[in-house]
Amino acid sequence: MTDYKSLMLQAQEARKKSYSPYSHFCVGAALLTKSGKIYTGCNIENAAYTPTNCAERTAIFKAVSEGERDFEAMAIVGGRANEKGGFCAPCGVCRQVISEFCEKDFEIVLGDEEDLKVYKLSELLPFSFSKNDL
Ligand code: THU
């Protein structure tokens, strides 16, 4: 049984590193590989706005760039800088990037450590377009 509470705590730790001087909205993510490693990420904003990278993609890109491609679950937490992080559903771009590397049963853990909600990728991105469609 995967310990999603500790995965969420790691997402909250990662959220502390958020670089979000424009939106003041801080997001953290913790990505669990099938081999049991955890890669974390935060959102990283940019003065030109569109180069901003979400926390989820930071975590995935860190992992893939280290040779990891088999993923089990990801915890995500977000909220305004001056508030405790909580439920933050991944944006559409991040859902698509997750779907590039993860199966339909990949689990996405939202909320906070006291109140975790677990969703399958197929629930958050139904009728997805993937490499199987090419
Ligand atoms: N953000 C994420 O990091 N992940 C999401 O799934 C939603 C949005 C970031 C991007 C931007 O830095 C800030 O939250 C406000 O949109």
Side-chain angles (χ1 to χ4, degrees), residues 44-125:
I44 304 168
E45 298 189 343
N46 188 280
Y49 290 15
T50 54
T52 292
N53 208 53
C54 289
E56 299 90 320
R57 279 178 286 144
T58 302
I60 290 180
F61 295 157
K62 279 171 69 180
V64 172
S65 67
E66 297 293 325
E68 299 281 350
R69 290 190 190 167
D70 297 321
F71 304 121
E72 184 98 24
M74 178 187 273
I76 305 163
V77 63
R80 291 192 193 96
N82 54 354
E83 292 172 7
K84 184 182 187 308
F87 190 96
C88 176
C91 78
V93 172
C94 287
R95 292 178 203 207
Q96 184 66 28
V97 170
I98 292 168
S99 80
E100 183 67 27
F101 295 102
C102 303
E103 303 298 326
K104 290 181 187 309
D105 63 351
F106 177 79
E107 293 193 306
I108 297 170
V109 183
L110 305 178
D112 63 40
E113 75 284 6
E114 303 300 336
D115 183 17
L116 298 174
K117 303 265 189 289
V118 182
Y119 301 91
K120 302 278 186 203
L121 176 59
S122 56
E123 292 179 90
L124 297 190
L125 193 66

